[in-house]
Amino acid sequence: KVIDGTFPDYTRVVPTGFSRSMNAVASEVKSAADRVAVVGEDKARAVKLDLSECQCVMTVRGGDNVAQRDVDIEYEGEPMSIGFNSKYLAEALSLCSGADVLLEFKDDQSPVKVTPSDDENVFFVVMPMRERRIGRTISATAPSPLPTSRRCMT
């Protein structure tokens, strides 16, 4: 059936102007997100990602429980923290059939573009969770210092 009408301009929600990027093995990031999400108590299953040059630290706090996983990555840009619904992040990563995935960020409040390495014509947009929402789920304390002599993924 053909529908006559104006289709919404989808390009308006596709993020552009990135200042940060993360390359990683999609299955490792998805596995880490799935594992830490288990301790989350709320429906949002908020996961916090602390990104630095060679490492992504994923953290979820649920009541008295804290789950944390480290994933080796390649990261370009200023270190940052960003929160996601772990289910949405894991679903986008599960659809990346290639080994590697590229996540591109503008800042911690803007949509993130997720692109599988094997097909640059396909991408997914994942919205971050607002800091206020993450603050209730993730500890407000500063993240533990990341090692500086760590070797990046190859």
Side-chain angles (χ1 to χ4, degrees), residues 76-121:
E76 292 182 20
E78 291 293 317
M80 69 179 249
S81 294
I82 189 168
F84 294 102
N85 178 315
S86 62
K87 183 178 177 181
Y88 298 154
L89 179 62
E91 183 158 342
L93 293 168
S94 70
L95 296 171
C96 296
S97 58
D100 293 339
V101 65
L102 172 67
L103 281 76
E104 296 174 289
F105 310 87
K106 185 176 188 176
D107 56 44
D108 63 349
Q109 299 294 311
S110 300
V112 175
K113 186 176 177 183
V114 180
T115 309
S117 62
D118 62 345
D119 190 352
E120 294 180 10
N121 294 317

mmCIF file of all heavy atoms in Angstrom, residues 76-121:
data_model
loop_
_atom_site.group_PDB
_atom_site.id
_atom_site.type_symbol
_atom_site.label_atom_id
_atom_site.label_comp_id
_atom_site.label_asym_id
_atom_site.label_seq_id
_atom_site.Cartn_x
_atom_site.Cartn_y
_atom_site.Cartn_z
ATOM 1 N N GLU A 76 39.616 8.460 20.866
ATOM 2 C CA GLU A 76 40.175 9.751 20.475
ATOM 3 C C GLU A 76 39.284 10.847 21.016
ATOM 4 O O GLU A 76 38.064 10.795 20.869
ATOM 5 C CB GLU A 76 40.272 9.861 18.955
ATOM 6 C CG GLU A 76 41.291 8.927 18.342
ATOM 7 C CD GLU A 76 41.396 9.108 16.833
ATOM 8 O OE1 GLU A 76 40.986 10.165 16.323
ATOM 9 O OE2 GLU A 76 41.887 8.175 16.181
ATOM 10 N N GLY A 77 39.905 11.843 21.643
ATOM 11 C CA GLY A 77 39.160 12.971 22.195
ATOM 12 C C GLY A 77 39.393 13.093 23.679
ATOM 13 O O GLY A 77 40.114 12.310 24.297
ATOM 14 N N GLU A 78 38.778 14.114 24.257
ATOM 15 C CA GLU A 78 38.888 14.343 25.692
ATOM 16 C C GLU A 78 38.175 13.216 26.446
ATOM 17 O O GLU A 78 37.113 12.765 26.018
ATOM 18 C CB GLU A 78 38.242 15.681 26.068
ATOM 19 C CG GLU A 78 38.995 16.877 25.555
ATOM 20 C CD GLU A 78 40.351 17.028 26.223
ATOM 21 O OE1 GLU A 78 40.442 16.860 27.452
ATOM 22 O OE2 GLU A 78 41.326 17.297 25.499
ATOM 23 N N PRO A 79 38.738 12.760 27.572
ATOM 24 C CA PRO A 79 38.039 11.742 28.378
ATOM 25 C C PRO A 79 36.659 12.253 28.770
ATOM 26 O O PRO A 79 36.453 13.458 28.964
ATOM 27 C CB PRO A 79 38.934 11.590 29.606
ATOM 28 C CG PRO A 79 40.293 12.030 29.150
ATOM 29 C CD PRO A 79 40.033 13.122 28.139
ATOM 30 N N MET A 80 35.714 11.332 28.860
ATOM 31 C CA MET A 80 34.356 11.723 29.227
ATOM 32 C C MET A 80 33.613 10.563 29.862
ATOM 33 O O MET A 80 34.024 9.414 29.752
ATOM 34 C CB MET A 80 33.574 12.238 28.026
ATOM 35 C CG MET A 80 33.220 11.193 26.984
ATOM 36 S SD MET A 80 32.266 11.906 25.627
ATOM 37 C CE MET A 80 30.685 11.156 25.906
ATOM 38 N N SER A 81 32.516 10.898 30.521
ATOM 39 C CA SER A 81 31.594 9.910 31.073
ATOM 40 C C SER A 81 30.258 10.122 30.398
ATOM 41 O O SER A 81 29.825 11.261 30.193
ATOM 42 C CB SER A 81 31.438 10.085 32.581
ATOM 43 O OG SER A 81 32.648 9.808 33.231
ATOM 44 N N ILE A 82 29.595 9.013 30.060
ATOM 45 C CA ILE A 82 28.299 9.086 29.400
ATOM 46 C C ILE A 82 27.461 7.904 29.865
ATOM 47 O O ILE A 82 28.008 6.840 30.163
ATOM 48 C CB ILE A 82 28.454 9.115 27.856
ATOM 49 C CG1 ILE A 82 27.130 9.400 27.160
ATOM 50 C CG2 ILE A 82 29.114 7.843 27.356
ATOM 51 C CD1 ILE A 82 27.266 9.720 25.667
ATOM 52 N N GLY A 83 26.165 8.095 29.973
ATOM 53 C CA GLY A 83 25.282 7.030 30.435
ATOM 54 C C GLY A 83 24.306 6.594 29.359
ATOM 55 O O GLY A 83 23.882 7.397 28.518
ATOM 56 N N PHE A 84 23.965 5.296 29.385
ATOM 57 C CA PHE A 84 23.012 4.727 28.436
ATOM 58 C C PHE A 84 22.087 3.756 29.144
ATOM 59 O O PHE A 84 22.437 3.201 30.187
ATOM 60 C CB PHE A 84 23.735 3.934 27.331
ATOM 61 C CG PHE A 84 24.581 4.745 26.423
ATOM 62 C CD1 PHE A 84 25.959 4.765 26.587
ATOM 63 C CD2 PHE A 84 24.027 5.485 25.397
ATOM 64 C CE1 PHE A 84 26.763 5.510 25.754
ATOM 65 C CE2 PHE A 84 24.835 6.236 24.551
ATOM 66 C CZ PHE A 84 26.201 6.243 24.731
ATOM 67 N N ASN A 85 20.958 3.506 28.541
ATOM 68 C CA ASN A 85 20.155 2.350 28.909
ATOM 69 C C ASN A 85 20.924 1.163 28.342
ATOM 70 O O ASN A 85 21.152 1.081 27.142
ATOM 71 C CB ASN A 85 18.764 2.457 28.287
ATOM 72 C CG ASN A 85 17.890 1.268 28.582
ATOM 73 O OD1 ASN A 85 18.312 0.118 28.478
ATOM 74 N ND2 ASN A 85 16.652 1.539 28.944
ATOM 75 N N SER A 86 21.347 0.252 29.203
ATOM 76 C CA SER A 86 22.211 -0.837 28.752
ATOM 77 C C SER A 86 21.532 -1.722 27.715
ATOM 78 O O SER A 86 22.185 -2.269 26.836
ATOM 79 C CB SER A 86 22.671 -1.680 29.940
ATOM 80 O OG SER A 86 21.562 -2.271 30.577
ATOM 81 N N LYS A 87 20.216 -1.834 27.796
ATOM 82 C CA LYS A 87 19.486 -2.656 26.817
ATOM 83 C C LYS A 87 19.583 -2.053 25.418
ATOM 84 O O LYS A 87 19.807 -2.767 24.444
ATOM 85 C CB LYS A 87 18.028 -2.784 27.248
ATOM 86 C CG LYS A 87 17.201 -3.658 26.345
ATOM 87 C CD LYS A 87 15.775 -3.778 26.850
ATOM 88 C CE LYS A 87 14.942 -4.595 25.900
ATOM 89 N NZ LYS A 87 13.547 -4.703 26.341
ATOM 90 N N TYR A 88 19.432 -0.742 25.314
ATOM 91 C CA TYR A 88 19.494 -0.087 24.008
ATOM 92 C C TYR A 88 20.905 -0.152 23.428
ATOM 93 O O TYR A 88 21.093 -0.390 22.234
ATOM 94 C CB TYR A 88 19.048 1.368 24.095
ATOM 95 C CG TYR A 88 17.608 1.543 24.536
ATOM 96 C CD1 TYR A 88 17.205 2.708 25.160
ATOM 97 C CD2 TYR A 88 16.654 0.552 24.337
ATOM 98 C CE1 TYR A 88 15.886 2.884 25.576
ATOM 99 C CE2 TYR A 88 15.347 0.714 24.748
ATOM 100 C CZ TYR A 88 14.968 1.886 25.359
ATOM 101 O OH TYR A 88 13.676 2.051 25.757
ATOM 102 N N LEU A 89 21.907 0.061 24.285
ATOM 103 C CA LEU A 89 23.288 -0.016 23.819
ATOM 104 C C LEU A 89 23.613 -1.435 23.355
ATOM 105 O O LEU A 89 24.166 -1.625 22.268
ATOM 106 C CB LEU A 89 24.249 0.405 24.934
ATOM 107 C CG LEU A 89 25.736 0.351 24.600
ATOM 108 C CD1 LEU A 89 26.065 1.300 23.449
ATOM 109 C CD2 LEU A 89 26.565 0.689 25.829
ATOM 110 N N ALA A 90 23.236 -2.432 24.144
ATOM 111 C CA ALA A 90 23.512 -3.825 23.794
ATOM 112 C C ALA A 90 22.799 -4.231 22.513
ATOM 113 O O ALA A 90 23.359 -4.961 21.682
ATOM 114 C CB ALA A 90 23.115 -4.753 24.938
ATOM 115 N N GLU A 91 21.580 -3.746 22.315
ATOM 116 C CA GLU A 91 20.848 -4.095 21.095
ATOM 117 C C GLU A 91 21.519 -3.521 19.858
ATOM 118 O O GLU A 91 21.663 -4.211 18.845
ATOM 119 C CB GLU A 91 19.404 -3.612 21.170
ATOM 120 C CG GLU A 91 18.628 -4.024 19.946
ATOM 121 C CD GLU A 91 17.134 -4.064 20.175
ATOM 122 O OE1 GLU A 91 16.700 -4.097 21.322
ATOM 123 O OE2 GLU A 91 16.425 -4.062 19.160
ATOM 124 N N ALA A 92 21.962 -2.277 19.915
ATOM 125 C CA ALA A 92 22.662 -1.685 18.766
ATOM 126 C C ALA A 92 23.944 -2.462 18.485
ATOM 127 O O ALA A 92 24.262 -2.741 17.322
ATOM 128 C CB ALA A 92 22.972 -0.216 19.037
ATOM 129 N N LEU A 93 24.666 -2.838 19.527
ATOM 130 C CA LEU A 93 25.914 -3.577 19.340
ATOM 131 C C LEU A 93 25.668 -4.976 18.798
ATOM 132 O O LEU A 93 26.458 -5.493 18.018
ATOM 133 C CB LEU A 93 26.687 -3.645 20.658
ATOM 134 C CG LEU A 93 27.222 -2.300 21.151
ATOM 135 C CD1 LEU A 93 27.702 -2.413 22.586
ATOM 136 C CD2 LEU A 93 28.316 -1.786 20.244
ATOM 137 N N SER A 94 24.565 -5.595 19.189
ATOM 138 C CA SER A 94 24.274 -6.951 18.703
ATOM 139 C C SER A 94 23.948 -6.957 17.213
ATOM 140 O O SER A 94 24.088 -7.976 16.550
ATOM 141 C CB SER A 94 23.127 -7.579 19.497
ATOM 142 O OG SER A 94 21.903 -6.945 19.188
ATOM 143 N N LEU A 95 23.522 -5.825 16.677
ATOM 144 C CA LEU A 95 23.202 -5.722 15.260
ATOM 145 C C LEU A 95 24.430 -5.423 14.404
ATOM 146 O O LEU A 95 24.337 -5.393 13.184
ATOM 147 C CB LEU A 95 22.128 -4.661 15.039
ATOM 148 C CG LEU A 95 20.780 -4.976 15.696
ATOM 149 C CD1 LEU A 95 19.854 -3.777 15.614
ATOM 150 C CD2 LEU A 95 20.155 -6.197 15.066
ATOM 151 N N CYS A 96 25.566 -5.206 15.051
ATOM 152 C CA CYS A 96 26.822 -4.973 14.332
ATOM 153 C C CYS A 96 27.464 -6.329 14.085
ATOM 154 O O CYS A 96 28.060 -6.925 14.975
ATOM 155 C CB CYS A 96 27.752 -4.084 15.159
ATOM 156 S SG CYS A 96 27.096 -2.426 15.423
ATOM 157 N N SER A 97 27.331 -6.818 12.866
ATOM 158 C CA SER A 97 27.789 -8.173 12.550
ATOM 159 C C SER A 97 29.302 -8.288 12.451
ATOM 160 O O SER A 97 29.852 -9.370 12.572
ATOM 161 C CB SER A 97 27.145 -8.645 11.249
ATOM 162 O OG SER A 97 27.478 -7.755 10.205
ATOM 163 N N GLY A 98 29.986 -7.183 12.235
ATOM 164 C CA GLY A 98 31.447 -7.227 12.123
ATOM 165 C C GLY A 98 32.092 -7.334 13.487
ATOM 166 O O GLY A 98 31.447 -7.218 14.523
ATOM 167 N N ALA A 99 33.378 -7.552 13.487
ATOM 168 C CA ALA A 99 34.106 -7.693 14.753
ATOM 169 C C ALA A 99 34.225 -6.360 15.481
ATOM 170 O O ALA A 99 34.066 -6.300 16.692
ATOM 171 C CB ALA A 99 35.491 -8.266 14.492
ATOM 172 N N ASP A 100 34.496 -5.293 14.750
ATOM 173 C CA ASP A 100 34.710 -3.995 15.375
ATOM 174 C C ASP A 100 33.527 -3.067 15.162
ATOM 175 O O ASP A 100 32.743 -3.223 14.226
ATOM 176 C CB ASP A 100 35.968 -3.330 14.821
ATOM 177 C CG ASP A 100 37.235 -4.064 15.193
ATOM 178 O OD1 ASP A 100 37.209 -4.828 16.179
ATOM 179 O OD2 ASP A 100 38.251 -3.884 14.504
ATOM 180 N N VAL A 101 33.441 -2.081 16.051
ATOM 181 C CA VAL A 101 32.374 -1.101 15.978
ATOM 182 C C VAL A 101 32.970 0.266 16.285
ATOM 183 O O VAL A 101 33.920 0.381 17.061
ATOM 184 C CB VAL A 101 31.225 -1.456 16.960
ATOM 185 C CG1 VAL A 101 31.689 -1.389 18.396
ATOM 186 C CG2 VAL A 101 30.016 -0.580 16.747
ATOM 187 N N LEU A 102 32.428 1.295 15.654
ATOM 188 C CA LEU A 102 32.842 2.675 15.882
ATOM 189 C C LEU A 102 31.689 3.421 16.532
ATOM 190 O O LEU A 102 30.578 3.428 15.997
ATOM 191 C CB LEU A 102 33.218 3.351 14.551
ATOM 192 C CG LEU A 102 33.490 4.849 14.604
ATOM 193 C CD1 LEU A 102 34.753 5.148 15.408
ATOM 194 C CD2 LEU A 102 33.610 5.413 13.191
ATOM 195 N N LEU A 103 31.947 4.017 17.691
ATOM 196 C CA LEU A 103 30.978 4.881 18.351
ATOM 197 C C LEU A 103 31.513 6.299 18.268
ATOM 198 O O LEU A 103 32.673 6.550 18.622
ATOM 199 C CB LEU A 103 30.785 4.493 19.824
ATOM 200 C CG LEU A 103 29.889 3.296 20.104
ATOM 201 C CD1 LEU A 103 30.588 2.007 19.793
ATOM 202 C CD2 LEU A 103 29.420 3.303 21.532
ATOM 203 N N GLU A 104 30.677 7.217 17.782
ATOM 204 C CA GLU A 104 31.091 8.609 17.630
ATOM 205 C C GLU A 104 30.237 9.488 18.529
ATOM 206 O O GLU A 104 29.012 9.373 18.543
ATOM 207 C CB GLU A 104 30.980 9.033 16.171
ATOM 208 C CG GLU A 104 31.926 8.246 15.272
ATOM 209 C CD GLU A 104 31.728 8.554 13.812
ATOM 210 O OE1 GLU A 104 30.684 8.146 13.263
ATOM 211 O OE2 GLU A 104 32.611 9.209 13.229
ATOM 212 N N PHE A 105 30.911 10.382 19.280
ATOM 213 C CA PHE A 105 30.269 11.226 20.279
ATOM 214 C C PHE A 105 30.528 12.692 19.993
ATOM 215 O O PHE A 105 31.626 13.054 19.563
ATOM 216 C CB PHE A 105 30.848 10.948 21.678
ATOM 217 C CG PHE A 105 30.903 9.505 22.068
ATOM 218 C CD1 PHE A 105 31.993 8.710 21.741
ATOM 219 C CD2 PHE A 105 29.873 8.936 22.790
ATOM 220 C CE1 PHE A 105 32.064 7.383 22.123
ATOM 221 C CE2 PHE A 105 29.931 7.606 23.179
ATOM 222 C CZ PHE A 105 31.017 6.833 22.851
ATOM 223 N N LYS A 106 29.548 13.500 20.298
ATOM 224 C CA LYS A 106 29.740 14.950 20.287
ATOM 225 C C LYS A 106 30.031 15.394 21.718
ATOM 226 O O LYS A 106 31.000 16.074 21.986
ATOM 227 C CB LYS A 106 28.492 15.640 19.742
ATOM 228 C CG LYS A 106 28.605 17.113 19.564
ATOM 229 C CD LYS A 106 27.343 17.647 18.919
ATOM 230 C CE LYS A 106 27.489 19.105 18.550
ATOM 231 N NZ LYS A 106 26.286 19.581 17.850
ATOM 232 N N ASP A 107 29.158 14.998 22.631
ATOM 233 C CA ASP A 107 29.321 15.259 24.056
ATOM 234 C C ASP A 107 28.467 14.251 24.820
ATOM 235 O O ASP A 107 27.868 13.368 24.213
ATOM 236 C CB ASP A 107 28.946 16.701 24.419
ATOM 237 C CG ASP A 107 27.536 17.073 23.984
ATOM 238 O OD1 ASP A 107 26.600 16.262 24.187
ATOM 239 O OD2 ASP A 107 27.347 18.178 23.446
ATOM 240 N N ASP A 108 28.388 14.388 26.131
ATOM 241 C CA ASP A 108 27.687 13.393 26.938
ATOM 242 C C ASP A 108 26.158 13.542 26.930
ATOM 243 O O ASP A 108 25.469 12.729 27.529
ATOM 244 C CB ASP A 108 28.204 13.397 28.377
ATOM 245 C CG ASP A 108 27.946 14.710 29.094
ATOM 246 O OD1 ASP A 108 27.554 15.702 28.435
ATOM 247 O OD2 ASP A 108 28.146 14.757 30.319
ATOM 248 N N GLN A 109 25.646 14.541 26.256
ATOM 249 C CA GLN A 109 24.204 14.756 26.197
ATOM 250 C C GLN A 109 23.619 14.572 24.794
ATOM 251 O O GLN A 109 22.410 14.643 24.617
ATOM 252 C CB GLN A 109 23.860 16.172 26.686
ATOM 253 C CG GLN A 109 24.272 16.445 28.112
ATOM 254 C CD GLN A 109 23.507 15.611 29.107
ATOM 255 O OE1 GLN A 109 22.284 15.529 29.059
ATOM 256 N NE2 GLN A 109 24.214 14.966 30.019
ATOM 257 N N SER A 110 24.463 14.354 23.804
ATOM 258 C CA SER A 110 24.020 14.262 22.413
ATOM 259 C C SER A 110 23.921 12.810 21.952
ATOM 260 O O SER A 110 24.591 11.932 22.495
ATOM 261 C CB SER A 110 25.011 15.003 21.508
ATOM 262 O OG SER A 110 25.081 16.362 21.869
ATOM 263 N N PRO A 111 23.102 12.549 20.930
ATOM 264 C CA PRO A 111 22.992 11.191 20.396
ATOM 265 C C PRO A 111 24.343 10.653 19.940
ATOM 266 O O PRO A 111 25.215 11.411 19.514
ATOM 267 C CB PRO A 111 22.052 11.342 19.197
ATOM 268 C CG PRO A 111 21.363 12.635 19.391
ATOM 269 C CD PRO A 111 22.272 13.497 20.196
ATOM 270 N N VAL A 112 24.496 9.343 20.035
ATOM 271 C CA VAL A 112 25.737 8.666 19.654
ATOM 272 C C VAL A 112 25.477 7.863 18.395
ATOM 273 O O VAL A 112 24.451 7.188 18.276
ATOM 274 C CB VAL A 112 26.212 7.744 20.798
ATOM 275 C CG1 VAL A 112 27.422 6.935 20.379
ATOM 276 C CG2 VAL A 112 26.508 8.569 22.033
ATOM 277 N N LYS A 113 26.395 7.938 17.456
ATOM 278 C CA LYS A 113 26.289 7.178 16.209
ATOM 279 C C LYS A 113 27.126 5.908 16.340
ATOM 280 O O LYS A 113 28.315 5.969 16.652
ATOM 281 C CB LYS A 113 26.789 8.021 15.030
ATOM 282 C CG LYS A 113 26.589 7.378 13.679
ATOM 283 C CD LYS A 113 27.020 8.337 12.579
ATOM 284 C CE LYS A 113 26.897 7.715 11.203
ATOM 285 N NZ LYS A 113 27.380 8.627 10.158
ATOM 286 N N VAL A 114 26.501 4.757 16.126
ATOM 287 C CA VAL A 114 27.147 3.456 16.232
ATOM 288 C C VAL A 114 27.226 2.866 14.821
ATOM 289 O O VAL A 114 26.200 2.652 14.185
ATOM 290 C CB VAL A 114 26.351 2.510 17.162
ATOM 291 C CG1 VAL A 114 27.026 1.156 17.269
ATOM 292 C CG2 VAL A 114 26.153 3.141 18.534
ATOM 293 N N THR A 115 28.455 2.621 14.338
ATOM 294 C CA THR A 115 28.660 2.131 12.974
ATOM 295 C C THR A 115 29.472 0.841 12.991
ATOM 296 O O THR A 115 30.580 0.820 13.539
ATOM 297 C CB THR A 115 29.410 3.177 12.132
ATOM 298 O OG1 THR A 115 28.763 4.445 12.242
ATOM 299 C CG2 THR A 115 29.483 2.770 10.676
ATOM 300 N N PRO A 116 28.930 -0.241 12.408
ATOM 301 C CA PRO A 116 29.724 -1.474 12.312
ATOM 302 C C PRO A 116 30.882 -1.271 11.342
ATOM 303 O O PRO A 116 30.755 -0.557 10.353
ATOM 304 C CB PRO A 116 28.736 -2.521 11.793
ATOM 305 C CG PRO A 116 27.531 -1.784 11.349
ATOM 306 C CD PRO A 116 27.602 -0.382 11.850
ATOM 307 N N SER A 117 32.015 -1.931 11.640
ATOM 308 C CA SER A 117 33.202 -1.743 10.809
ATOM 309 C C SER A 117 33.054 -2.339 9.415
ATOM 310 O O SER A 117 33.699 -1.890 8.481
ATOM 311 C CB SER A 117 34.419 -2.366 11.488
ATOM 312 O OG SER A 117 34.227 -3.761 11.631
ATOM 313 N N ASP A 118 32.186 -3.328 9.273
ATOM 314 C CA ASP A 118 32.082 -4.008 7.985
ATOM 315 C C ASP A 118 31.096 -3.364 7.016
ATOM 316 O O ASP A 118 31.011 -3.778 5.866
ATOM 317 C CB ASP A 118 31.731 -5.488 8.184
ATOM 318 C CG ASP A 118 30.388 -5.683 8.860
ATOM 319 O OD1 ASP A 118 29.855 -4.708 9.438
ATOM 320 O OD2 ASP A 118 29.869 -6.816 8.826
ATOM 321 N N ASP A 119 30.349 -2.352 7.447
ATOM 322 C CA ASP A 119 29.389 -1.708 6.552
ATOM 323 C C ASP A 119 29.148 -0.273 7.004
ATOM 324 O O ASP A 119 28.335 -0.029 7.895
ATOM 325 C CB ASP A 119 28.079 -2.489 6.522
ATOM 326 C CG ASP A 119 27.131 -2.000 5.439
ATOM 327 O OD1 ASP A 119 27.405 -0.959 4.798
ATOM 328 O OD2 ASP A 119 26.093 -2.657 5.222
ATOM 329 N N GLU A 120 29.840 0.666 6.397
ATOM 330 C CA GLU A 120 29.714 2.062 6.779
ATOM 331 C C GLU A 120 28.405 2.692 6.323
ATOM 332 O O GLU A 120 28.103 3.827 6.679
ATOM 333 C CB GLU A 120 30.903 2.856 6.256
ATOM 334 C CG GLU A 120 32.203 2.451 6.913
ATOM 335 C CD GLU A 120 33.395 3.245 6.404
ATOM 336 O OE1 GLU A 120 33.197 4.237 5.675
ATOM 337 O OE2 GLU A 120 34.520 2.862 6.747
ATOM 338 N N ASN A 121 27.610 1.974 5.521
ATOM 339 C CA ASN A 121 26.318 2.482 5.070
ATOM 340 C C ASN A 121 25.217 2.211 6.089
ATOM 341 O O ASN A 121 24.101 2.686 5.931
ATOM 342 C CB ASN A 121 25.939 1.864 3.724
ATOM 343 C CG ASN A 121 26.879 2.303 2.622
ATOM 344 O OD1 ASN A 121 27.234 3.475 2.539
ATOM 345 N ND2 ASN A 121 27.306 1.371 1.799
#
